[in-house]
Amino acid sequence: MEDQTVGHFWYFGYGSLVNDETRPRDTVARPYQLHGWRRRWGHRLYTLGHGHCSLTVRPCDSTSLLGVLVQSPLVHLPALDQREHGYDRLGLHCASTTLGEEAFIYRSQQDFYGWADEDYPILQSYVDVVVLGYLNNFGEQAAIDFIRTTEGWDRPIRQDREQPIYPRAVAFRPGQRAIVDRLLEEHAGYRPV
């Protein structure tokens, strides 16, 4: 059995894991462009008394995703697998990991895969975490690219900002809420209330 008290692992974050506030402090993240995948609102879960839909990926030869390649102590792997409940951990070869080590990406398992709907809406608090992660780490154009490279913005969105359901909701810095609202209205076709 592998000793999980030493070493590290790598994973690609393409949604909430882009936001530094949602990861353990002892992780190191760097920008990474991953080719051959596309994001979608397509991972359905029922947790904390609510159905909701979060992000997943699907193979797509014509799309690249900007995200973060994260190096994390191996001791965090069980907690990350638990956080990514209903996802398969798939191996990726990423040239920018140390010595070309394998990295992981999480993709929704078939039993959890499905578009957002009234019973499993997208949570606005989750959207905010992801958009803020892109804004804070990469700037406004990257947040726009996140929106444009994600399928399913026409699906139901639950406005839960005032009482967030998403367990890792983060607070806006001054002026950020207006920026997020503008970007979602201009590029996703809706304005949060």
Side-chain angles (χ1 to χ4, degrees):
M1 183 170 178
E2 188 171 329
D3 181 2
Q4 294 196 358
T5 61
V6 297
H8 63 269
F9 67 101
W10 297 86
Y11 60 90
F12 180 72
Y14 56 86
S16 62
L17 290 165
V18 172
N19 193 311
D20 296 338
E21 295 182 48
T22 72
R23 295 188 314 271
R25 298 278 180 232
D26 56 351
T27 62
V28 177
R30 60 179 161 208
Y32 192 78
Q33 193 80 28
L34 182 66
H35 301 286
W37 296 88
R38 186 165 178 90
R39 257 183 307 261
R40 72 183 333 171
W41 293 106
H43 183 74
R44 295 162 41 129
L45 277 176
Y46 190 87
T47 58
L48 304 172
H50 301 276
H52 55 90
C53 190
S54 55
L55 292 167
T56 189
V57 289
R58 66 174 178 85
C60 181
D61 291 338
S62 62
T63 306
S64 293
L65 301 177
L66 174 62
V68 289
L69 193 58
V70 180
Q71 183 183 36
S72 182
L74 196 55
V75 69
H76 293 314
L77 185 56
L80 183 62
D81 282 344
Q82 184 177 6
R83 171 181 173 158
E84 301 301 313
H85 176 74
Y87 288 86
D88 286 323
R89 180 171 20 112
L90 306 175
L92 293 172
H93 180 77
C94 297
S96 67
T97 61
T98 304
L99 303 175
E101 296 168 316
E102 186 177 58
F104 303 114
I105 190 169
Y106 287 87
R107 182 178 67 183
S108 186
Q109 296 171 359
Q110 191 63 37
D111 289 349
F112 295 87
Y113 189 74
W115 289 109
D117 61 20
E118 293 297 332
D119 295 327
Y120 293 89
I122 300 163
L123 300 177
Q124 184 62 52
S125 58
Y126 180 86
V127 172
D128 293 340
V129 165
V130 180
V131 176
L132 287 172
Y134 279 92
L135 277 174
N136 293 338
N137 284 318
F138 307 120
E140 189 169 313
Q141 187 56 52
I144 293 168
D145 290 343
F146 157 72
I147 295 167
R148 289 182 176 169
T149 59
T150 301
E151 301 169 326
W153 291 106
D154 58 335
R155 302 298 172 152
I157 299 171
R158 182 170 178 175
Q159 300 300 324
D160 69 330
R161 275 184 176 162
E162 301 310 315
Q163 295 182 321
I165 296 169
Y166 183 62
R168 288 171 287 279
V170 298
F172 289 102
R173 295 177 191 160
Q176 285 186 323
R177 182 173 176 159
I179 295 169
V180 170
D181 289 354
R182 176 178 54 81
L183 296 179
L184 292 172
E185 184 172 24
E186 291 175 2
H187 303 285
Y190 81 97
R191 185 166 184 84
V193 293

